[in-house]
Amino acid sequence: MSAVPAAVEAAERPSLAVISAIGLGQILSWGSTYYLPAVLAVPIAEDTGWSLGWLFGALSVGLVASGLVSPRVGGLIHHHGGRPVLAAAAGLIALGQIGLWLAPNLPAFVAAWVVIGIGMGAGLYDPAFSTLGRLYGEAARPAITKVTLYGGLASTVCWPLTAVLNEALGWRGACLAYAVIHLVLVLPLYLRVIPKEAATARPTVGTTAMHPPGHLRPDQRFAFNLIAVVFTLAFAVMTVIAVHLLTLLQARGLELAAAVALGTLIGPAQVGGRLIEMAFGGRAHPIWTLLISSALVALGTVLLLLAPGWAAGAIILYGIGSGLRSIVRGTVPLVLFGKEGYAILMGRLAVPTLLATAAAPMLGVWALEAFGAEGTLVALSVAGMVNLLLVLPLLPVAMRPR
C-alpha cells in the first residue's frame, strides 16, 4: 500500500492540532534545554562545586553541537518529513536529561549537553518550521507565527516549573522529570498528531542529480548568503542582550530590582509583536516584517545607549523586534526560495546562527571587560544598524516576480 502524500494527510489532519502539538513541544523543548541553566546553574554549582562558567559553557557546547547537525537534520526532514525527526529530538533530549541526572563529574555533564544539543538541533524552531513548510508549503506562514507564540511562553512556563521541580526533587530529579515528560508526553504527541509523510526519493544520475534538493540558482545565491549574514548578526546581538541585559541596565544606573522589572517586559513585547504579525502580517511580503524587526532592534539598542531614562520604551521596541525575528527566520526563506528544498536550506541557515548564539555570551563577557557597558552598547547599536542596512538589498530581490 502506498504511503499517503504529505499534502493529503496534512489536509485531513486539523492544522490547529498539528500546530498545538508542535507548539507544546516547543515550550517543553526550549524550557528543558536553552532555558534550563538560568534556573538550575546555581543549585548545580552549590551541590557539585562545578564553576558557573563551565555550567553555562556546557550549554554553549550543546548549541555548537546543534549547529553542526542542522544540515543533516534539514536533509532528513526533506526526505522523511518532520514527524520522525521531531520525535527523535524528544528522545535525544530525554536521553541527555538522563545523562544530566546521572552525571558523576563535569566531563559527563558536558557530554550529556552534547546529546541535548543534538536534540536541540533536531527539535527547536528551525526543524519545527521546516516541518510546517513541508506540510503546508507557502501557506505555512500563519502556522509558523502561531508556533512562535507557543515558543514565546517557554520561559514563562518552564522557569517556574523548573524551580518547583528543583525544590521538590533537587536539580538531578528536575532533569529526570523533564526526561519523563519528553518520553511520555512530547514523543507520543509528535507521533500521534503530526501527519506521516511519504519518503521523498533521492535524486538519481540522469534525472534530477544536476539540481539536488536545496539547490540554489545563481540568481538566488546572493539573497541566501545575505540572509545568512543578517540572521547570524541579528542572533548574535540578541543573544548578547538576552544574557547580559541586567548587567547593562545596572551599569546605566538602575538598581537590580528595577533592572529585573524592565527585563520582564521583553517576553510580553515579543508575544505582542507576534500577535501583530498574526493579525496583519499575512497581507504583506515577510521581507517587510524582517525590515521592521531589524529597525526595531536597532532603534531599541540605540535608545538604550543614548536615553537611559527611556529604557522601558527601548526594551519594548527591542522585544517586539526580537519577537518578529523568530517568525521571519522561518517565513522569509520559505517565500523567497519556495517549499522545495526548504528544510535543507533551513538546516544550512541554522549552522551560523546557532554557532553565533553559542559564542555570543562569551563575546559579551569579553566586550564588557574590554569596553565596559557603554562601549558594549555602542558595539550592539552599530551591529544593529549594520544589520538593518544589510536587509535593504534584499527588498528588490523579494519584490522581483518569481
Side-chain angles (χ1 to χ4, degrees):
M1 181 180 295
S2 60
V4 178
V8 174
E9 188 170 345
E12 294 175 347
R13 192 70 53 87
S15 62
L16 180 59
V18 176
I19 293 167
S20 298
I22 294 176
L24 180 58
Q26 290 300 297
I27 290 175
L28 293 170
S29 295
W30 281 97
S32 62
T33 60
Y34 185 82
Y35 292 113
L36 191 70
V39 178
L40 291 188
V42 171
I44 294 172
E46 291 175 347
D47 179 55
T48 62
W50 303 335
S51 72
L52 286 174
W54 268 110
L55 294 176
F56 282 101
L59 171 60
S60 294
V61 171
L63 288 168
V64 170
S66 68
L68 295 178
V69 302
S70 291
R72 178 62 175 164
V73 168
L76 289 172
I77 293 175
H78 175 81
H79 290 294
H80 302 288
R83 178 177 132 167
V85 174
L86 292 178
L92 285 166
I93 291 173
L95 180 62
Q97 293 288 355
I98 292 172
L100 297 182
W101 170 55
L102 295 172
N105 50 47
L106 185 58
F109 183 87
V110 175
W113 269 102
V114 172
V115 178
I116 291 174
I118 297 172
M120 293 166 69
L124 295 187
Y125 272 155
D126 293 312
F129 297 161
S130 298
T131 299
L132 294 170
R134 181 174 163 91
L135 289 173
Y136 304 119
E138 293 186 20
R141 183 176 176 182
I144 290 173
T145 301
K146 292 171 185 175
V147 165
T148 63
L149 286 174
Y150 279 94
L153 298 173
S155 60
T156 302
V157 171
C158 290
W159 276 347
L161 175 60
T162 304
V164 169
L165 291 172
N166 176 66
E167 185 69 23
L169 306 172
W171 71 267
R172 292 185 186 271
C175 293
L176 180 60
Y178 274 125
V180 172
I181 288 172
H182 278 280
L183 291 176
V184 304
L185 177 59
V186 180
L187 176 58
L189 191 64
Y190 283 156
L191 291 176
R192 289 181 63 86
V193 178
I194 299 176
K196 183 179 181 181
E197 304 177 42
T200 301
R202 296 181 182 272
T204 58
V205 176
T207 55
T208 58
M210 294 299 294
H211 299 290
H215 170 79
L216 292 169
R217 300 190 311 268
D219 62 307
Q220 294 177 318
R221 291 172 188 163
F222 169 77
F224 180 83
N225 291 332
L226 189 54
I227 286 173
V229 173
V230 167
F231 286 178
T232 300
L233 183 57
F235 279 93
V237 169
M238 291 191 296
T239 302
V240 170
I241 292 175
V243 173
H244 299 292
L245 178 61
L246 298 185
T247 300
L248 293 169
L249 289 175
Q250 289 179 87
R252 305 300 283 168
L254 294 174
E255 297 293 332
L256 176 59
V260 171
L262 287 174
T264 61
L265 295 175
I266 292 180
Q270 289 176 329
V271 173
R274 291 164 184 169
L275 288 172
I276 293 171
E277 163 68 15
M278 187 169 65
F280 305 105
R283 304 173 186 176
H285 196 291
I287 195 68
W288 297 111
T289 305
L290 174 59
L291 183 66
I292 293 170
S293 167
S294 302
L296 290 175
V297 169
L299 180 59
T301 53
V302 170
L303 192 60
L304 194 60
L305 170 67
L306 299 179
W310 291 80
I315 289 172
I316 290 173
L317 292 174
Y318 163 80
I320 294 172
S322 64
L324 293 175
R325 178 72 59 168
S326 297
I327 299 172
V328 296
R329 176 177 179 173
T331 56
V332 169
L334 180 61
V335 172
L336 283 184
F337 308 116
K339 174 184 176 181
E340 183 60 32
Y342 170 68
I344 293 175
L345 295 179
M346 286 296 292
R348 293 177 190 165
L349 287 172
V351 177
T353 58
L354 288 170
L355 293 179
T357 302
M362 294 307 299
L363 289 176
V365 170
W366 172 80
L368 285 166
E369 292 178 348
F371 308 115
E374 186 168 354
T376 301
L377 281 172
V378 169
L380 291 171
S381 299
V382 171
M385 293 302 299
V386 170
N387 191 257
L388 174 60
L389 294 175
L390 289 174
V391 175
L392 298 180
L394 290 170
L395 297 179
V397 176
M399 296 298 102
R400 184 187 307 155
R402 289 179 54 187

